[in-house]
Each structure stands twice: as structure tokens, then as C-alpha cells.
Amino acid sequence: FMISVANRPIRIRTIISHRGNGFGETENTVAAIVKAHEHGFPVEIDVRLSSNGTAHLMHDETLERTTRCTGAIAKKTDAELAACGVNTLHEALATGATLELHPKIMNPAIMNELKTAVAGVQDKARVILFINSGGGVTAQEIKEAFADHVIMWPVDTYKSAKLVWKAFNQTKDMYSVSMHTLWGSPRLLRWITHRTRKLGVWFTCDKGCRIKPNRWMVMGMPI
């Protein structure tokens, strides 16, 4: 299906470690990033702000699932989060790993924090931004803030892909689409593949996936 719609082969170029969690370490931690990096993988990490406005690594709004602490990360100070073992984005960038940064909430505060954090990274190819407009931030503002970095623009519809295209830099940027969405949206796939040869694809594995794994496919092969 994918090959016939794209009218050319689709090849996997890079596999990214989701939250660095494939090697036995707690997700979204420096330990997980280091381990994935040692095995040769770029790492996707989730970013949220503390009450001090500092970028920390955390997927959930609260701390319960991945730490021994409780409460919302947005209400914790930097010192409190450090005591809970929550790493900062600065610590993640210092590992030397190639990172895909995924802010869980998009607003001017987190965009400015990300911009400041990545400005000090000499090798621009080491930082990829998985980011989209919203929360008071426009696509044009994102484009200007991260002009030196690859931006992965997450889209889920043909309409959203067209809107993103206005800020899309064909030289470096790419769309990012879930495998499930891509599989069921030939119009979206045609739009993307007629404009760029690069595409980020991410996979979800919900309860249904665990029950019926063969419904999640890549090029006709179950994953």
C-alpha cells in the first residue's frame, strides 16, 4: 500500500530510541539517553517546564509513574525535581547524544527555553525539534526560532500538512506522522511524498496493539 501510493520504495534510514527506554533504564533520564547513545541510537525525549521555568525531562504531567515523588512537574522547583531524580534538558544535551526534543506543552515560555538551551550546541545536527504550532506560538515563529535545526512537524491530516508547509524548510525539515495515521490516509501520504523525500514515522502501541499485534504493519510486515 505505502509503496504503491508513494510510487517509490520507502526505506528506513534511522531508528530513534523512544524516550531512551529500550535498554533497561527509566525513560526520559540521562541514564537511558547514555545507554541508547552507546548502542548507536538517537533518542527522543519529552520536555516540560518546572515552576522555575527550567526545561526538564518528563512525559507525564505528574511525577508518580516514573519517580518516587508525587505532584505536577509544573508546580515543582528545580531543587525539588533534582531531589526526585528528574534530569534537566541541559544535562541531556551534555551527554553528546543526538536528541529529538518533544515539548509536551507548546507556549512562548517553553519555546524560548528550548531556543536558549539548544543555542549552545555546536553540532546543530545533534538536535532535532519535534514541534508544532499552538499555545500562542505560530509555525512561522517556530521556523525562525529553530532555523539552524531540523524541525519535525507532526501532522495528522491533509489539512494540517498543508498549513505546516508554509513554514516548511525543504532543505532540512521533515513531516512526522504516526504509522496508524499514515496507513489510513493515502491523501496525506501523497501530499507528503510529492514534496519531500524525508519522513519521520512513529509507532503507537496501545492496548489493542498488544492484543492484536499484526494490525500494526510496516511495508506489509508485522512489528
Side-chain angles (χ1 to χ4, degrees):
F1 169 80
M2 289 176 64
I3 294 176
S4 66
V5 172
N7 199 30
R8 61 172 176 265
I10 295 177
R11 296 181 175 89
I12 296 174
R13 179 179 175 184
T14 303
I15 296 175
I16 298 175
S17 175
H18 186 233
R19 306 180 198 168
N21 195 33
F23 302 96
E25 303 291 345
T26 302
E27 67 179 56
N28 281 314
T29 61
V30 164
I33 292 169
V34 169
K35 189 67 70 69
H37 179 54
E38 288 174 347
H39 283 78
F41 292 97
V43 184
E44 181 266 352
I45 53 175
D46 302 297
V47 182
R48 292 185 183 274
L49 299 185
S50 67
S51 63
N52 298 106
T54 304
H56 283 72
L57 313 187
M58 183 62 61
H59 176 275
D60 300 355
E61 293 183 2
T62 58
L63 300 168
E64 286 83 349
R65 185 173 63 85
T66 58
T67 78
R68 64 182 183 279
C69 301
T70 61
I73 184 172
K75 296 183 179 180
K76 299 290 185 181
T77 65
D78 292 350
E80 289 172 327
L81 291 173
C84 293
V86 181
N87 293 122
T88 65
L89 176 57
H90 176 77
E91 291 171 325
L93 292 170
T95 63
T98 298
L99 300 176
E100 177 191 317
L101 310 184
H102 185 186
K104 303 308 292 183
I105 296 176
M106 195 58 216
N107 57 40
I110 196 163
M111 188 180 78
N112 291 334
E113 175 72 358
L114 289 175
K115 182 179 178 181
T116 300
V118 304
V121 179
Q122 296 301 312
D123 182 1
K124 303 304 181 185
R126 277 189 46 230
V127 177
I128 302 166
L129 283 298
F130 182 94
I131 194 169
N132 209 344
S133 56
V137 178
T138 67
Q140 185 62 34
E141 288 171 329
I142 293 170
K143 175 183 179 179
E144 293 171 359
F146 304 107
D148 295 331
H149 299 276
V150 172
I151 302 175
M152 296 181 73
W153 298 93
V155 295
D156 57 4
T157 63
Y158 165 76
K159 182 178 179 180
S160 62
K162 287 187 66 177
L163 288 173
V164 164
W165 186 249
K166 297 176 182 179
F168 196 97
N169 184 325
Q170 289 178 264
T171 303
K172 63 179 182 64
D173 292 352
M174 66 181 74
Y175 285 111
S176 186
V177 189
S178 79
M179 186 69 243
H180 193 206
T181 296
L182 200 63
W183 187 263
S185 306
R187 189 184 189 192
L188 173 61
L189 184 58
R190 282 196 298 269
W191 167 270
I192 291 171
T193 56
H194 288 169
R195 287 160 179 80
T196 176
R197 299 194 66 169
K198 296 181 291 185
L199 174 64
V201 179
W202 50 276
F203 307 91
T204 57
C205 187
D206 58 15
K207 187 175 181 180
C209 168
R210 289 189 288 273
I211 295 170
K212 299 178 181 179
N214 285 350
R215 75 185 182 91
W216 296 88
M217 310 287 280
V218 180
M219 306 267 292
M221 296 185 297
I223 57 170

